[in-house]
Amino acid sequence: MTMAKRDTYTPESLLAVAVEVFNERGYDGTSMEHLSKAAGISKSSIYHHVKGKEELLRLAISRALDGLFAVLDEPGAVEGRAVDRLEHVTRRTVEVLMAELPYVTLLLRVRGNTGTERWAMERRRDFDHRVAELLKEAAADGDLRADVDVRLATRLLFGMINSVVEWYRPGRGGVTSGEVAEAVLRTAFAGLRTSG
Amino acid sequence: MTMAKRDTYTPESLLAVAVEVFNERGYDGTSMEHLSKAAGISKSSIYHHVKGKEELLRLAISRALDGLFAVLDEPGAVEGRAVDRLEHVTRRTVEVLMAELPYVTLLLRVRGNTGTERWAMERRRDFDHRVAELLKEAAADGDLRADVDVRLATRLLFGMINSVVEWYRPGRGGVTSGEVAEAVLRTAFAGLRTSG
DNA sequence: GTCTATATTACGATAGAC
DNA sequence: GTCTATCGTAATATAGAC
């Protein structure tokens, strides 16, 4: 609990504060006044660090997307059987989601009212499609149950993964990201894999 | 595609329009001007039918909650083994969610900025707790895998169920609510039940 | 039941002093 | 780098005519 520095803000440290408020009130429900109060500086001071409210959103979402897309380039995501790559990506996605929780939370809640939001939704769709491809491959390999619709399974899998942002709060509850990832894998893949 | 009546609005028919816009832009991202344009009447005319924006939210959320809580009183939810009641509630929750899609969607997205939103979140927590009780009972009966954490399982189950609002669009795709409910049950309970 | 016009407040962003 | 003061706009809601 090192409160540490609060001399002056960097875009990075201001971003951390802003993202917390965005997630609590929603992006549209957050005014510059709210951010100002939370950061402990005046509205106009915020404009010294960032161009405006939408830039804070863009910075936060970029961070989330960078973390997620990096998973797709890991060795475990590009080598081996599709079903094993799928498991790796699922596990690591949960871990990144929990490590970058506030940023990914914001990404998942974007509605598409501004250009930045629409860009975020598009990039997120790209990520989902990459994972859907893995599911399709695994199904073609005969490693997934034949009676499971791939499109539907992808959606339910992401539903489970993404729902973590709704309840996980670091520091309390005691579950680690690894444990949550294992639970998601057990729950999802028991119903998907052909052999236990 | 019967466009039907558009002579004059009732609170009910106006609500249907408003909820669509709320879900597309987010509640906070929707102005009375947006609603006015979507409904094809002026801003001030809306105030003739409802007290204001927040009342539209309250009406919509009430409808969602009424549908969900009704499930808990159905025969299948109060008779029999806990694990079977759990399956019934899961299946019916998915069905109600899909039948009342826009209203439940709105319920699941409220952030808590107004009194109405906080009330909605509280009622929703009540519902979740009722289902969590069923999971606990089923675990005590020995009908759920011993190595599954009940709290975590509840959350993942709701994650899967609630994620349906993110992609299901009636009329296209072709899946029925019954099919989706079955897929959720198969996916979730294959990883939860002690015996297939 | 719907409209135009308007009151009032809140919002994002800028100007300019220190 | 932070502040106070302020601009211009958009928000919720009301008044009163038809």
Side-chain angles (χ1 to χ4, degrees), chain A residues 103-143:
Chain A
Y103 303 94
V104 178
T105 301
L106 197 56
L107 169 66
L108 295 178
R109 288 186 182 159
V110 138
R111 299 301 323 151
N113 293 336
T114 66
T116 300
E117 292 176 73
R118 286 186 288 274
W119 162 80
M121 290 168 77
E122 205 178 306
R123 292 272 291 158
R124 189 185 147 199
R125 256 194 302 276
D126 290 344
F127 181 82
D128 290 6
H129 283 160
R130 293 280 295 273
V131 179
E133 284 299 316
L134 284 179
L135 259 156
K136 211 154 83 182
E137 274 188 66
D141 291 347
D143 289 328

Side-chain angles (χ1 to χ4, degrees), chain B residues 86-155:
Chain B
L86 176 63
E87 282 207 16
H88 174 88
V89 168
T90 302
R91 184 193 329 272
R92 291 287 299 130
T93 296
V94 173
E95 287 171 0
V96 168
L97 181 149
M98 294 174 80
E100 303 285 348
L101 190 77
Y103 304 94
V104 178
T105 301
L106 197 56
L107 169 66
L108 295 179
R109 289 185 183 160
V110 295
R111 299 304 320 154
N113 293 336
T114 66
T116 300
E117 292 176 73
R118 285 185 288 275
W119 161 79
M121 290 169 76
E122 204 178 307
R123 293 273 291 158
R124 192 186 146 198
R125 256 194 301 276
D126 291 343
F127 181 82
D128 289 6
H129 284 160
R130 294 280 295 274
V131 179
E133 284 299 318
L134 284 180
L135 259 156
K136 211 154 83 183
E137 276 188 66
D141 291 346
D143 289 329
L144 296 187
R145 283 172 47 170
D147 63 336
V148 172
D149 178 62
V150 172
R151 204 167 153 72
L152 187 50
T154 305
R155 286 167 158 164

Side-chain angles (χ1 to χ4, degrees), chain A residues 153-166:
Chain A
T154 305
R155 283 164 160 165
L156 294 179
L157 178 60
F158 272 114
M160 223 184 310
I161 294 173
N162 293 343
S163 72
V164 171
V165 305
E166 300 299 331

Side-chain angles (χ1 to χ4, degrees), chain A residues 8 41-42 44-45 49:
Chain A
T8 185
I41 58 177
S42 70
S44 59
S45 292
H49 300 286

